[in-house]
Amino acid sequence: MTAALLGAREARASGLSTARFGGEHGHVTTDNPTAIYYNPAGIALKPGTRIFVDGSFAARWVSYDRPESAISSMTGTPEGATDANAGTAKLSNFIAGPFAGASSDFGTKFFSAGAAVYFPFGGQSTWKPNDKYRGSQDYPGAVDGVQRWHTIDGKLRSMYITGAVAFNIAKIGLSIGLSGSAIRSEIDTIRARNSDGTDDLVLSDGTLKEGRSWLKASGWQGSFGIGAIWNWRDKLWIGASYTSRPNITGNMTLKGELTNAFGVAPVSEATPIELTQRLPDIVRFGFRVRPVPKLELRLFGDFTNWKVMDKQCVLDASIEGRKCDFAGGDTALTKPEEFGAEGDGTKGVTQHIPRFWKPAGGVRFGASYWVVEAVELFAGLGFDSSAVPVQTIEPALLDSNKMTFSLGGRFRLHQRLHLGVTFTDIAYFKVDTKGRNVLNKFQAPTKQASADGVYKQNIFLTNIYLDVNF
C-alpha cells in the first residue's frame, strides 16, 4: 500500500529522485530557468528575461520473476495454483512530466528572480494481468499478477511551486541564489493484502482469504534551496547547491483514508489515516568548462541522504497519541524475526513498512560541440547508485545501480527561441535478491509477503524544451 504509493514514481536516479528537466542542460551550473530547481544561483548567469517550457516523456519496462521459494503461505498453496504466487510479472508504462518556469534580471546587472511549476515526482505504475486467472471463481485476485502483494496500480503526483532569487557579484564572478518551494503531494494506490501479512489465497477450509487495500492521501510540505556558482571569464563555471528535506526535518504527514476488503467479508468503511515518512536532502556539485569556443565539457554529481528513509507508517488518525517508533531498527535486517512487533513506542499502527535505505548518489559527464553557432550537439554518460537494499526491495518501490546514456541537440529556431531535445536510455543493473529479502520475516504488523526474486528495469526518456529569451 504505502509501497505502491511511492512505486508510482518512475525512479530514474538514486532512490526516488526523478527530475531530468532540461535534459543535458539540466544541472548544477546551468543558466536556464531549470536552475530554479537545480541551483537557484544559475538564474543570474545570463541577462534578460527567459521563459522555459519543458516536457519529459518516459517509457518504462519492468519485469519481476518471483520464485516458488518466495511464497509466504500459512495455509499452503492449493494444488495447481502455484503460478498464482510465483512466476514473472511485467510492466510497460508511459509517463509525461512537465516543467514551466521563467526568470528575469528586470534590467539590472546584479539581481534576478524566477518562478517555476514542475513535477519532480509523479506518474503511475500499472502491471500486466495474469490472464490465466481472468474470471477465476476460485482465486479471482491472482489475475492481478504475482507482484500484487506489493502493488497493482499506483498513482502519485508531487507538484512543486518554487520561487527563487539570485545575486550576481560581477567583480568576483560569483552568483548566489536562494529558493523556496510549496509542495503538494497526492496518492491513490491499491494492492493485495491479507491482515496477517501472508500471500495466502484461501483459508484452510478453502474459503477465499486474499484481500485488497486502497489508500488515498494528500498533503502540503515546504522546502528551500541554496546555491552558488563561480564564473571565470565565461570559460569555467563551478557550482554547488543544497536542497533541504521536505519540511526541513524531512518528516512528512499525508492525510487521507484507507479502505480494506479481506476475503469474503464486506468492504470496510473508509478509515481516516495518516501516512508518515521522511525524505532526504540533496547536495549537488559540478563544473563546466570551455577549453575552446566550440567545445564545452561538463562533470557534475549529487549526493542524496536516503538514510533518513528508514520506514513508512500508516496510522489510524482517530487514535490519540498515535506513534510509530519501533525498537530494534539497528539489527532489523540481520535479525528480522525480532523486529516489527508493536511495543511501547507504537500506537495506532495500521501498517509499518521498513525501508532502511542507504545514502546514494550519482555522477554524470557531458560534452557539447557547436557545429555552427545555431546548432549545438551533445552527449552524456552517467552512473547512479541504488539506495534500496535487497533486504527490503519490492516491486512497488525498486531501484538498482544504473548507467545513463544521452544524445541530443539544441537548435536556434529564431533569434530569441531555442529548441532542445535529449534522448536518454537508463539501463538498470539486474537485481537478484538470492533469498535475502526479509519482508516476510518481520513480526506483525510489519510482516509482508516476501519480495524475493529477480528484478529487471529499463527506461527510455525523451526530453524536449523551448527556451525563449528577451
Side-chain angles (χ1 to χ4, degrees), residues 230-253:
W230 179 65
N231 173 18
W232 181 70
R233 298 183 179 180
D234 288 334
K235 294 182 179 180
L236 173 65
W237 296 261
I238 301 174
S241 69
Y242 172 80
T243 302
S244 77
R245 302 174 189 176
N247 295 335
I248 312 305
T249 63
N251 295 320
M252 297 173 61
T253 299

Side-chain angles (χ1 to χ4, degrees), residues 313 324-329 331-333 335-343 346 349-354 356 439 441-448:
C313 261
C324 188
D325 299 323
F326 285 82
T331 58
L333 298 184
K335 299 179 180 179
E337 298 85 356
E338 301 176 9
F339 179 74
E342 290 186 304
T346 65
V349 177
T350 299
Q351 284 194 54
H352 170 231
I353 302 181
F356 298 113
L439 293 177
K441 297 180 181 180
F442 295 126
Q443 297 295 307
T446 303
K447 182 179 179 179
Q448 302 179 68

Side-chain angles (χ1 to χ4, degrees), residues 316-323 347-349:
D316 188 332
S318 66
I319 296 179
E320 294 293 332
R322 53 193 176 273
K323 53 185 178 179
K347 188 176 182 181
V349 177

